[in-house]
Amino acid sequence: MEIKRRDFIKLVGGTSVSLAVGGCAMDEVLEIPDRLIHRVRTGPGIETWKNTICGLCPGGCGISVRMVDGLPVSIRGNPHYPVNLGGMCSLGLNALHMLYHPDRLKGPMKRTANPGSGRWEPITWDEALKIIAERLTELRGGQKSRQVAVLGYDERGLMEQHIARFMKAYGSPNYFRFSPSQNDMVPHSLLHGHSRIPAYDFLNAKLIVSFGSNFLGEGYSPVYYTKLYSHHRELQTQYIQVESRMSLTAANADKWVPIRPGTYGALALGIAYVLIREELYDARFVGGSTFGFEDWADRSGSRHLGFRSIVLGNYYPEKVSEITGVPTAAILELGRLLGNTPKSLVLGDGGAVDNTNGTFAQMAVQSLNALLGNYEAEGGVFFTDQAPVRPLPDVEVDAVAAAGSRSEPLTSSRDVPFPLSDFSIESFAKNILADSPYPLSVLFLYHGNPLFQTLNHLDFAGALKKIPLVVSFDSIINETSEYAHLILPEHTFLESWGEISDVPTVGFSHFGIQQPVVEPLHDTRGTGDVFTELARRVGGTVKSAAAFTDYREEVRYAAEGLFRSGQGAVVAKGQKQPWIEFLQRRGWQTGRYATFDEFWEQLLLNGGWWNPARKKKNLDELFTTPSGKFEFFSQRLNSEFNRLLLKLDETGSSRNLESVLSRLNISARGDNAMMPHHEAVPYEGDRPMYLVTFQVMPNRDGAGAALPLMQELFGYSVHSPWESWAEIHPETAAAAGVSNDDWVWVESSIGNVRVKAKITPGIMPDVVAIPFGMGHTSYGRYARGHGVNPNTIMRNLHDLVSGKPALEATKVRISRTS
Amino acid sequence: MAKWAMAIDLDRCTGCGACMAACKMENNVPIVEPDEALQGRVMHWMDMITEYGGDYPGIEIKRMPKPCFHCDNPPCTRVCPVGATYRNEEGLVAQVYHRCIGCRYCMVACPFTAKVFNWKDPAWIEGASTCFNPDVSRRMVGVVEKCTFCSHRLMKVKETADEEDRPINDGEYVPACAEICPADAIYFGDIEDKGSSVYKMSGDYRASRVMEDLGVEPKVYYLVKRTR
């Protein structure tokens, strides 16, 4: 009795304190509209929870938002959502600060002075939309619909289709996305034929060798991989990390293999040498399901060298050791370990692909999976099915739209860099500046921050100044939207409808539903609805892109496909492994929802749908290359080079393959250029250190910098709150006379940055690492003026084939600031 | 009487720092101004220790999340001149903010530097502070604070359990860090309950406590990394 009474008093005491404090603090906090504050102050304090999907990174974690009287107060992971199973990262936990951010735009804005002046005036939605719609109508009337472009970021699925439908009905080929992972699929498409990012069977693998892929801290879905990693420590799965700097993943791996930047492909081929020489490869898979392994003859009878000959001739361990800095013994050991461990798996990302030779390096890494026969094997590589969403209805295309969409997109360029890239901001900016092949009149900027994130931001800034109408949807003005003429601020993900489905590399098809947990705090709108409204205002056949009353209806329409497919299930409690296996054996069916309305209700309640059951594919239906096999010799790349050859021929400038390759700055010649090979990165010789960058969990792609808590946690691993730093090896630091926390200059041929030195043994002696994400000159009061942006001192180099930014292609010198 | 304890499996923990953010959000822990933060006045109830070992290239980076250890024989409570900190019957080392006079003796006494001091009222940069969780009171300038094992959650759980006239189930009361840990590395529960996961983990061959020789009897157990 006594205990209970004491607890009772404690409880009452606790509650009264919390009420008083809750009341006093809320209005001082970030920025919460008065009406909501009032509700919390006078409300009964009722707690509710709502499930949605986190929108701060592409990872697609299911979250549960806790609300008191309808005001979101905290976020937890949704314990039943299969991607994260209740886990969260620091960034997602802090999403409410984004909702309540004091620098969020309260409504549409119009710039009244020069870009960067920060002088904006409010404008009504109606006025803003009127300006845009009139311009769009006028352009269309003059058969100039192609002069409108949308530059998106990492949107996928429905939102991507939504914008694409608008552009198709309107009549422009210029919808691009520039996210860092945008061209990730290029090497995969060369080897596999289709543009899908493979998933890896971590669950069953026994050995995982990662080439630069910091899957625990960067990549598509760190929380998903953290779950996998931690649950397999007991299974004795061995992790080996090949990387220049000890990233979060390397720190957690069983072994770290330091490697010189830009040489990951060479190491992979050195390992291939060991596998081939010691006959440790899967002869059955290689013999039956690959093309170009042995020497071969084409239809005209000319002989070509196979992968085997090229690897055995060029990538013997001593030579690879010289290129990569990895000792010969370590190369042999890695090769033997991979070859002799059943269910060993290889993946590549990060530093391995973020370089001028990234495509070839990724091809080399994936070739190891082919040698090991990992495709569709247990503990290997597979391609997930797509969630069976209902395809949106076709849009109507009139003559104007048809002509517009047929025009050459503004990204393609006469001097042909990056033959296979979907989009390169480099050629986009150049084309805009040169009005070639036609001028750009209207640009919509949807998400991302190219002026902060890309390497060649100066060109792009020039391009932005030139475009007569730039429209942004950002809710906090950032470096790029400073250049916009109009900003139509979007809801945060906590206020809007959406879906995040089939996150790349996550091992099952899934569909997460994003729903508003709170009514919009400010006068903002969902961008899906804005495009719909614009389609309505432009009218005519463009109106067919506005087939749904609002974006919520569109999400609901797409979700109906899940219900109709009869596959998978709404995520729910208790969907654990034995249950899944049981269902897998007996055929996986929902069967619990009589109608779609019921299904939809469950979907909103639980946060998503998934289908862990996947039918194993036959090897012959896996690849869609010309040969129908895994191609060591990429016929697609070959025909791409031939296409360029014809293109160059027209201009009379050249005649043979060699000239195409030299125009692309590819140093390999002959068949080598179509195959995985080591392409030397054109480093400058006069600076001793390689510069590499990395993302940290609290910041990711630079977006976390708006959040004060994430700024404080930015350098949590090295005690560097609110500040950038440079990681330097102790030997290097000693030689340069630098001690921990000294300020140093890191200087490249492009420029220099001043950062604090953090001396750490977890980096190669000739490498210096600076985290990406700080150094904002805009983007709200908490981001501006802290730390440095390492991209500003990087050379403007890109992957020779895919156009991905080469983030590890710059050399620098460090010196103490005096 | 329950005795609340924690076990952190460093084999599972990746050092991602999510626990740090979860703690700050849950407990309305102030974010201090950047220049103060750089002077070492950052307030983390859940901190992260980084330690390097081994010879290049066999470097080992150890990361260790560090909450208050809620010692059974806590040195911080003895030095407090005003009785603002005490160990309660359930083993939680509690703070009474209104009694604290800010002498910071307890901060010095704590061998694990688990306590942090409010150098300012928790309003910062242009009037913003971080009071989100209405269940947790804000602390004022001049008082010491630290991890409470999210004891406000315990109050709620007790209420429900009392209403239903049953004991608290294992896993029903967990602090925010344990709840959201993406690696499921943090176990929490009643160490007196032989069926609880924390009881099992604390008896594991890999389990130990930090600076056990001090005799302060911490109630946070660490399980070392498995070696391959």
Side-chain angles (χ1 to χ4, degrees):
Chain A
M1 269 319 277
E2 219 181 73
I3 297 161
K4 287 204 167 171
R5 187 172 161 270
R6 190 178 58 82
D7 285 349
F8 177 72
I9 291 164
K10 217 176 179 182
L11 184 78
V12 171
T15 313
S16 65
V17 167
S18 69
L19 275 185
V21 167
C24 79
M26 284 297 188
D27 40 1
E28 275 176 47
V29 182
L30 309 165
E31 205 160 305
I32 305 175
D34 289 345
R35 59 180 203 280
L36 289 174
I37 294 281
H38 181 73
R39 203 202 288 164
V40 175
R41 279 196 176 150
T42 54
I46 292 169
E47 179 182 286
T48 50
W49 291 83
K50 209 162 186 183
N51 288 327
T52 184
I53 305 291
C54 178
L56 291 188
C57 95
C61 291
I63 60 174
S64 298
V65 182
R66 178 186 174 211
M67 281 161 300
V68 174
D69 293 334
L71 186 77
V73 295
S74 72
I75 290 179
R76 294 178 192 179
N78 176 352
H80 311 309
Y81 195 69
V83 173
N84 57 320
L85 295 172
M88 286 292 288
C89 75
S90 42
L91 186 58
L93 282 162
N94 199 212
L96 292 181
H97 284 190
M98 205 59 113
L99 178 70
Y100 302 130
H101 199 291
D103 294 323
R104 270 187 73 185
L105 294 177
K106 312 294 181 290
M109 298 295 251
K110 185 179 172 186
R111 180 158 54 78
T112 55
N114 294 333
S117 62
R119 295 182 48 194
W120 300 82
E121 64 178 30
I123 179 174
T124 65
W125 275 98
D126 192 54
E127 282 174 90
L129 289 169
K130 196 171 157 212
I131 295 172
I132 302 166
E134 272 172 9
R135 187 81 189 104
L136 291 180
T137 313
E138 185 192 321
L139 285 168
R140 221 174 115 81
Q143 316 283 319
K144 290 178 190 159
S145 62
R146 63 184 187 176
Q147 295 184 11
V148 174
V150 178
L151 182 56
Y153 185 51
D154 57 3
E155 67 275 11
R156 289 178 293 108
L158 200 61
M159 194 62 202
E160 186 189 352
Q161 284 178 49
H162 185 81
I163 299 176
R165 287 173 86 242
F166 172 83
M167 292 297 271
K168 190 176 168 194
Y170 179 76
S172 166
N174 295 313
Y175 169 36
F176 313 113
R177 292 170 303 152
F178 83 98
S179 96
S181 55
Q182 180 53 29
N183 292 312
D184 275 1
M185 65 285 283
V186 170
H188 298 293
S189 73
L190 297 178
L191 300 170
H192 308 139
H194 48 77
S195 295
R196 284 158 63 193
I197 307 278
Y200 301 93
D201 187 9
F202 271 42
L203 274 170
N204 294 304
K206 288 289 157 219
L207 167 66
I208 294 162
V209 179
S210 150
F211 286 76
S213 173
N214 180 10
F215 50 83
L216 294 180
E218 302 177 33
Y220 289 100
S221 197
V223 174
Y224 170 74
Y225 280 101
T226 303
K227 280 273 159 194
L228 284 177
Y229 167 85
S230 61
H231 281 263
H232 296 96
R233 296 302 291 170
E234 276 117 80
L235 303 178
Q236 302 279 315
T237 308
Q238 198 182 354
Y239 289 85
I240 297 179
Q241 182 79 1
V242 178
E243 210 172 6
S244 315
R245 166 191 174 263
M246 224 170 166
S247 65
L248 190 66
T249 310
N252 284 288
D254 299 294
K255 191 178 176 188
W256 171 50
V257 180
I259 184 170
R260 203 167 282 153
T263 65
Y264 291 83
L267 180 66
L269 294 164
I271 292 170
Y273 176 97
V274 181
L275 293 175
I276 297 170
R277 172 66 78 198
E278 304 196 353
E279 298 192 347
L280 294 171
Y281 63 92
D282 183 338
R284 229 178 105 206
F285 178 84
V286 170
S289 305
T290 67
F291 171 79
F293 182 71
E294 303 289 350
D295 298 348
W296 55 289
D298 61 22
R299 260 175 296 175
S300 67
S302 21
R303 302 285 303 167
H304 296 269
L305 283 181
F307 184 70
R308 177 211 288 271
S309 309
I310 286 181
V311 167
L312 292 184
N314 298 296
Y315 297 99
Y316 45 95
E318 292 78 7
K319 184 177 169 189
V320 169
S321 173
E322 209 169 283
I323 299 172
T324 59
V326 179
T328 316
I331 299 170
L332 289 171
E333 192 196 326
L334 268 174
R336 288 174 185 154
L337 200 58
L338 273 168
N340 290 317
T341 312
K343 302 181 192 170
S344 55
L345 177 62
V346 179
L347 69 156
D349 198 5
V353 297
D354 292 335
N355 218 324
T356 58
N357 60 7
T359 298
F360 297 115
Q362 179 73 292
M363 285 168 80
V365 170
Q366 292 302 328
S367 296
L368 292 178
N369 278 325
L371 289 178
L372 295 165
N374 275 342
Y375 286 88
E376 280 296 320
E378 195 164 272
V381 182
F382 63 101
F383 300 99
T384 48
D385 298 325
Q386 309 280 305
V389 292
R390 187 171 170 195
L392 299 178
D394 273 337
V395 291
E396 270 178 69
V397 176
D398 63 4
V400 182
S405 300
R406 265 200 313 275
S407 340
E408 197 175 352
L410 264 176
T411 187
S412 65
S413 148
R414 263 130 242 268
D415 5 288
V416 230
F418 325 130
L420 289 167
S421 110
D422 288 1
F423 173 69
S424 121
I425 210 151
E426 167 102 3
S427 15
F428 188 51
K430 285 208 168 112
N431 286 344
I432 294 170
L433 288 170
D435 284 339
S436 149
Y438 45 86
L440 184 61
S441 301
V442 180
L443 174 66
F444 292 96
L445 292 164
Y446 178 64
H447 288 186
N449 184 357
L451 288 193
F452 182 78
Q453 292 164 321
T454 57
L455 300 183
N456 39 347
H457 49 281
L458 291 179
D459 275 356
F460 191 62
L464 284 175
K465 272 192 208 158
K466 186 161 186 278
I467 304 166
L469 181 58
V470 178
V471 181
S472 161
F473 300 100
D474 290 330
S475 61
I476 300 173
I477 297 175
N478 64 26
E479 285 81 354
T480 313
S481 34
E482 296 270 9
Y483 285 81
H485 298 92
L486 287 171
I487 303 187
L488 309 179
E490 191 180 33
H491 299 322
T492 62
F493 75 91
L494 293 163
E495 302 156 305
S496 56
W497 286 95
E499 55 77 55
I500 295 193
S501 53
D502 296 336
V503 174
T505 76
V506 169
F508 42 81
S509 61
H510 58 283
F511 181 94
I513 196 120
Q514 241 169 19
Q515 57 181 324
V517 299
V518 61
E519 72 268 34
L521 260 50
H522 306 299
D523 186 17
T524 54
R525 290 192 185 178
T527 301
D529 290 332
V530 173
F531 275 110
T532 304
E533 177 64 22
L534 284 175
R536 283 200 191 108
R537 289 192 183 214
V538 174
T541 51
V542 183
K543 240 169 133 176
S544 66
F548 301 92
T549 44
D550 55 28
Y551 196 60
R552 175 187 175 275
E553 282 308 307
E554 207 164 319
V555 175
R556 196 170 186 273
Y557 181 90
E560 200 169 342
L562 307 172
F563 172 71
R564 287 189 186 173
S565 74
Q567 300 165 10
V570 169
V571 301
K573 197 174 175 173
Q575 288 171 346
K576 292 279 156 62
Q577 202 57 32
W579 183 70
I580 292 164
E581 274 162 21
F582 174 79
L583 285 168
Q584 206 151 6
R585 276 197 299 274
R586 300 180 161 233
W588 176 274
Q589 279 218 334
T590 52
R592 284 177 296 156
Y593 330 100
T595 60
F596 174 62
D597 286 335
E598 219 172 288
F599 176 84
W600 175 251
E601 202 178 296
Q602 287 295 314
L603 202 62
L604 295 189
L605 195 64
N606 292 303
W609 170 99
W610 70 315
N611 184 5
R614 178 179 165 274
K615 225 181 116 218
K616 228 173 136 113
K617 308 277 186 300
N618 288 325
L619 286 177
D620 52 6
E621 51 182 336
L622 215 53
F623 305 112
T624 55
T625 51
S627 61
K629 295 174 175 181
F630 177 95
E631 292 196 343
F632 286 110
F633 177 93
S634 173
Q635 301 194 62
R636 176 159 177 231
L637 192 52
N638 190 31
S639 45
E640 203 60 39
F641 288 152
N642 283 324
R643 191 181 60 82
L644 293 177
L645 184 58
L646 291 176
K647 203 167 165 184
L648 289 180
D649 241 4
E650 280 169 22
T651 56
S653 61
S654 84
R655 243 149 243 99
N656 56 22
L657 177 65
E658 189 161 326
S659 52
V660 173
L661 294 175
S662 60
R663 280 295 282 278
L664 295 173
N665 297 319
I666 294 174
S667 63
R669 288 294 173 266
D671 292 348
N672 241 327
M674 276 66 95
M675 299 176 70
H677 67 272
H678 171 62
E679 181 76 35
V681 177
Y683 286 111
E684 295 162 313
D686 56 344
R687 285 184 171 75
M689 313 267 294
Y690 296 91
L691 172 67
V692 305
T693 60
F694 56 98
Q695 296 179 359
V696 295
M697 292 289 271
N699 186 296
R700 300 300 306 274
D701 62 355
L707 305 168
L709 179 55
M710 294 299 100
Q711 292 284 75
E712 188 178 276
L713 281 174
F714 186 72
Y716 74 91
S717 57
V718 292
H719 293 285
S720 185
W722 295 91
E723 206 39 272
S724 298
W725 69 92
E727 292 182 9
I728 302 171
H729 192 270
E731 281 172 25
T732 316
V738 172
S739 327
N740 209 36
D741 284 342
D742 277 354
W743 288 97
V744 292
W745 288 110
V746 178
E747 176 219 326
S748 75
S749 58
I750 305 298
N752 55 19
V753 290
R754 186 171 166 270
V755 272
K756 244 184 194 168
K758 293 284 177 184
I759 297 174
T760 152
I763 190 162
M764 287 186 92
D766 54 356
V767 174
V768 51
I770 300 179
F772 176 75
M774 285 238 179
H776 282 276
T777 53
S778 179
Y779 198 33
R781 64 190 74 179
Y782 304 128
R784 191 169 41 229
H786 296 283
V788 301
N789 181 358
N791 284 13
T792 56
I793 61 165
M794 279 187 200
R795 293 160 74 203
N796 186 12
L797 292 175
H798 295 79
D799 184 308
L800 303 174
V801 178
S802 75
K804 252 177 99 83
L807 301 176
E808 302 200 347
T810 305
K811 290 193 92 170
V812 293
R813 187 181 292 140
I814 58 162
S815 56
R816 262 183 68 173
T817 61
S818 41
Chain B
M1 177 68 52
K3 200 162 123 185
W4 304 106
M6 183 183 276
I8 302 177
D9 187 346
L10 298 178
D11 197 40
R12 289 187 155 204
C13 172
T14 65
C16 72
C19 48
M20 303 170 80
C23 174
K24 290 207 85 150
M25 294 295 286
E26 176 78 15
N27 291 298
N28 302 330
V29 182
I31 304 168
V32 303
E33 287 187 39
D35 49 338
E36 303 244 324
L38 285 162
Q39 286 172 33
R41 291 179 178 177
V42 181
M43 301 171 80
H44 290 309
W45 288 11
M46 173 62 108
D47 205 350
M48 184 77 72
I49 308 289
T50 306
E51 204 180 284
Y52 301 97
D55 294 317
Y56 184 87
I59 300 295
E60 236 188 304
I61 299 185
K62 289 180 200 154
R63 296 224 165 88
M64 197 176 106
K66 192 200 68 179
C68 168
F69 293 164
H70 292 267
C71 308
D72 267 345
N73 183 14
C76 57
T77 59
R78 300 183 180 201
V79 297
C80 180
V82 291
T85 174
Y86 64 100
R87 180 187 172 283
N88 76 9
E89 289 164 56
E90 290 173 277
L92 298 178
V93 176
Q95 296 272 128
V96 186
Y97 304 122
H98 293 85
R99 276 193 199 160
C100 179
I101 55 168
C103 69
R104 291 179 281 146
Y105 285 5
C106 58
M107 289 177 72
V108 180
C110 174
F112 314 112
T113 60
K115 299 201 165 188
V116 288
F117 185 63
N118 284 283
W119 287 93
K120 293 207 169 148
D121 254 329
W124 68 293
I125 311 181
E126 296 168 48
S129 70
T130 48
C131 184
F132 267 104
N133 191 346
D135 303 338
V136 180
S137 59
R138 264 190 341 169
R139 281 74 59 186
M140 53 298 251
V141 62
V143 305
V144 171
E145 59 181 70
K146 67 163 191 75
C147 158
T148 63
F149 272 173
C150 292
S151 58
H152 56 281
R153 291 187 172 202
L154 175 61
M155 291 187 208
K156 282 197 169 178
V157 169
K158 266 188 183 159
E159 187 186 7
T160 324
D162 275 0
E163 263 170 24
E164 292 166 13
D165 201 20
R166 59 170 175 80
I168 296 171
N169 299 323
D170 187 34
E172 198 176 347
Y173 158 45
V174 290
C177 53
E179 181 183 60
I180 58 80
C181 176
D184 298 318
I186 306 180
Y187 300 82
F188 187 86
D190 177 6
I191 201 162
E192 306 271 88
D193 169 10
K194 299 214 163 25
S196 73
S197 57
V198 73
Y199 174 80
K200 274 178 227 146
M201 296 313 277
S202 66
D204 193 279
Y205 74 98
R206 294 186 289 125
S208 66
R209 294 179 292 182
V210 177
M211 296 195 240
E212 218 146 358
D213 50 331
L214 292 178
V216 298
E217 303 289 324
K219 278 198 296 297
V220 174
Y221 293 80
Y222 287 95
L223 284 85
V224 294
K225 232 178 171 58
R226 292 183 177 87
T227 46
R228 306 260 179 308

